[in-house]
Amino acid sequence: MRKLPKPTEQEISEGPQTVSFQIANGNARQGCILQTKFPTKLQAQKYLLTNWLTIEKMARDALAAGTLEGGKIKLALI
């Protein structure tokens, strides 16, 4: 298994990373943002891909409930 790279100075100063993605909403696309606790973008993206089914369900539930912030669905990793 490959080790993930250590965070750069910039990533450390930026703090936790966010990952943007989209889900289909009928014929349109809905923008989503996942706030993670990971220090690097690569780790955050890997988490998104590994847990895609769960995160997509959470995004669809938020869309159905109408909980949009600034036109986007915002999810946070707790």
Side-chain angles (χ1 to χ4, degrees), residues 28-74:
R29 308 287 294 167
Q30 178 61 54
C32 305
I33 298 171
L34 174 64
Q35 175 69 47
T36 72
K37 295 181 179 181
F38 297 106
T40 68
K41 284 278 188 195
L42 183 61
Q43 289 172 330
Q45 290 170 339
K46 186 172 181 168
Y47 180 84
L48 173 68
L49 293 175
T50 302
N51 297 288
W52 173 250
L53 294 176
T54 303
I55 294 169
E56 181 187 20
K57 182 177 181 335
M58 291 170 55
R60 293 199 180 282
D61 290 347
L63 181 62
T67 53
L68 302 174
E69 294 179 37
K72 295 190 179 219
I73 297 170
K74 294 187 180 177

